[in-house]
Amino acid sequence: MAEWEDVRRIAMALPSVEESTSGHGHIQWRVKDKSFVWERPLRKADYEALGDDAPDGPVLGVRVADVGVKEALLAEDPAVYFTTPHFNGYPAILVRLAEISVPELGELVTEAWLDRAPKRLAKEYLAEH
């Protein structure tokens, strides 16, 4: 379904977004120096925690508004959304990129951007869209 190029296209279409590479060599998208979506390969501890439920394909990390939103997404579609103990108590969700539709990805990335963008920039964007 979705691919990295979809993430890039959606993220870069939003105002004031920069693409960069983390210290670990993974791609991240930031608005005004705040990450809102990023490439998040699973680590050894993640595989241990997830066991057989660990996805094989690419994983996208996404900032969400709060832990309540995270819990709602996990309950809504566990085939797409998941988390690991590393993210316990943190407002971020992991996404099986190959399992999410491009329209749903667009909504998720935009919501993440709205959460991290400065309030004035987010208001301007919402007024235009």
Side-chain angles (χ1 to χ4, degrees), residues 7-8 24 27-28 31 36 39 53 59 64 66 72 74 80 83 86 94 108 113 115 117 121:
V7 178
R8 177 175 286 116
H24 298 288
I27 301 168
Q28 59 184 347
V31 57
F36 64 101
E39 181 182 12
D53 291 331
V59 175
V64 294
D66 57 46
L74 289 169
V80 172
T83 191
H86 177 78
L94 298 175
L108 189 67
W113 180 88
D115 180 64
L121 184 61

Side-chain angles (χ1 to χ4, degrees), residues 26-37:
H26 306 300
I27 301 168
Q28 59 184 347
W29 292 269
R30 301 168 66 86
V31 57
K32 301 290 184 179
D33 293 325
K34 292 182 178 181
S35 292
F36 64 101
V37 290

Side-chain angles (χ1 to χ4, degrees), residues 77-115:
D77 198 346
V80 172
Y81 303 105
F82 71 105
T83 191
T84 65
H86 177 78
F87 291 100
N88 285 351
Y90 187 73
I93 192 95
L94 298 175
V95 180
R96 291 172 179 89
L97 195 56
E99 300 300 322
I100 192 169
S101 71
V102 174
E104 187 173 355
L105 176 67
E107 290 177 25
L108 189 67
V109 170
T110 302
E111 287 296 321
W113 180 88
L114 286 167
D115 180 64

Side-chain angles (χ1 to χ4, degrees), residues 1 6 13 22 31 38 60 65 89 97 108 115:
M1 302 250 269
D6 297 311
S22 72
V31 57
W38 60 94
L60 177 69
L97 195 56
L108 189 67
D115 180 64

Side-chain angles (χ1 to χ4, degrees), residues 9 19-20 33 41 50 61 70 77 94 110 123:
R9 177 182 47 77
E19 181 179 307
S20 63
D33 293 325
L50 294 170
K70 173 183 177 173
D77 198 346
L94 298 175
T110 302
K123 281 183 183 181

